[in-house]
Amino acid sequence: MTMLIGAKAMHRPVFGALWPLAILAAFAVLGPFLAPYDPNSQDLLKVMEAPSARHLLGTDHVGRDVLSRVLAGAPHSLGLAVLCVVLAAGIGVMLGLLAANGSRFTRILIMRLADLMLAFPGLLLALLFSGFLGGGIWPMLIGLKLALWPLYARMAEAVATGVLREGHVEAARLAGFPERVILLRHVLPPVLRAILPLATLGVGQAIMSISALGFLGLGLKPPTPEWGAMINELLPFLSEGFVQMAAPCLMIFASVLALTLAGRALVAQATGGAHA
């Protein structure tokens, strides 16, 4: 009974922190369909209009509806961040498992490469790739993947090394199971459980990086709506369009905050589960 109550208490903060993620996911999927206007439709007769019943968040410097651009920009800011983390985590987990189960030379090579990549600030790598390749989705994704994969590789290698030394893995080897089956059935699940909190926090980091690149003009090409690019466009009109400027800023803040809280809750659950 005590164990049951403890388990419920441990899971309660996790569910409390995860429900904002469901809202973010729905927002990213349904945002463009909820936009009241075409996010790229311009009306030069309605430039920098204040919020009204017709335009709830006002219009921008070329007469576009800000609410529509914020909603339509959700898949770009949120969806690209998730895609970036999924790709980086996939590469990191694969290399981490290879390092844990491979030869000593393979492990040293992968881990030293990860250490080298971690020595560079992540945003700097994304800036270099986006700058040299002219900006856009793929240069941005490549730069962010290079910045993120070492974190997942080191975590995967540490967890996999510990699991490979456990008795049930040795028993599976003695029973004649192929190494590939052992990795998939016995090693990969605990690695993914350990990676999940880190990946949740990584999505928030990716949102900030994508927004920073968009603000610098190295992200998605205009007129594609993206929160960081919207801040850059509206910055010269801050004095007359505070609400318009605040809208994408608050979306970035709320998204990163929700992901950070969820990631910390998952870390707390994993730590509590480990101590239990």
Side-chain angles (χ1 to χ4, degrees):
M1 186 66 177
T2 304
M3 294 179 61
L4 180 60
I5 295 175
K8 289 182 178 179
M10 184 176 66
H11 285 285
R12 191 178 300 119
V14 177
F15 288 117
L18 288 183
W19 69 261
L21 297 187
I23 295 177
L24 286 179
F27 191 68
V29 174
L30 301 176
F33 302 100
L34 299 176
Y37 302 100
D38 181 353
N40 296 323
S41 177
Q42 302 181 12
D43 188 348
L44 298 180
L45 298 177
K46 299 179 179 179
V47 172
M48 298 306 297
E49 279 193 352
S52 63
R54 183 174 177 82
H55 300 286
L56 296 181
L57 294 178
T59 60
D60 64 6
H61 60 296
V62 291
R64 296 173 297 194
D65 182 65
V66 173
L67 176 60
S68 298
R69 290 186 63 77
V70 168
L71 292 172
H76 301 132
S77 296
L78 299 175
L80 284 177
V82 172
L83 176 62
C84 175
V85 170
V86 168
L87 294 175
I91 294 172
V93 168
M94 180 182 65
L95 292 177
L97 292 178
L98 182 61
N101 199 50
S103 64
R104 184 172 181 271
F105 174 78
T106 302
R107 180 185 179 278
I108 293 175
L109 178 63
I110 294 175
M111 291 299 101
R112 294 297 79 79
L113 178 60
D115 291 339
L116 178 64
M117 299 301 297
L118 287 172
F120 293 93
L123 186 57
L124 176 60
L125 287 173
L127 281 171
L128 288 174
F129 269 85
S130 295
F132 280 122
L133 299 179
I137 293 179
W138 291 112
M140 179 172 60
L141 286 178
I142 292 173
L144 292 175
K145 280 191 299 183
L146 287 175
L148 291 175
W149 76 262
L151 299 173
Y152 305 112
R154 293 200 66 85
M155 175 67 77
E157 187 272 337
V159 175
T161 299
V163 174
L164 287 170
R165 294 172 180 170
E166 293 180 358
H168 65 92
V169 174
E170 293 295 332
R173 283 176 174 159
L174 292 175
F177 285 96
E179 203 68 25
R180 173 176 55 85
V181 174
I182 293 175
L183 288 176
L184 290 177
R185 291 186 179 179
H186 298 278
V187 181
L188 185 59
V191 167
L192 293 180
R193 286 194 295 270
I195 289 292
L196 181 59
L198 191 62
T200 305
L201 295 170
V203 174
Q205 179 184 350
I207 290 174
M208 291 190 292
S209 298
I210 291 170
S211 299
L213 292 173
F215 178 80
L216 295 173
L218 296 174
L220 300 179
K221 299 297 184 182
T224 304
E226 190 274 320
W227 294 339
M230 289 178 63
I231 297 173
N232 180 39
E233 293 172 345
L234 292 166
L235 187 59
F237 309 95
L238 178 59
S239 60
E240 53 186 312
F242 177 78
V243 173
Q244 292 91 320
M245 178 77 170
C249 293
L250 288 176
M251 288 308 306
I252 295 172
F253 173 78
S255 301
V256 175
L257 178 62
L259 289 160
T260 301
L261 292 176
R264 289 183 176 180
L266 290 171
V267 170
Q269 184 197 30
T271 304
H275 288 300

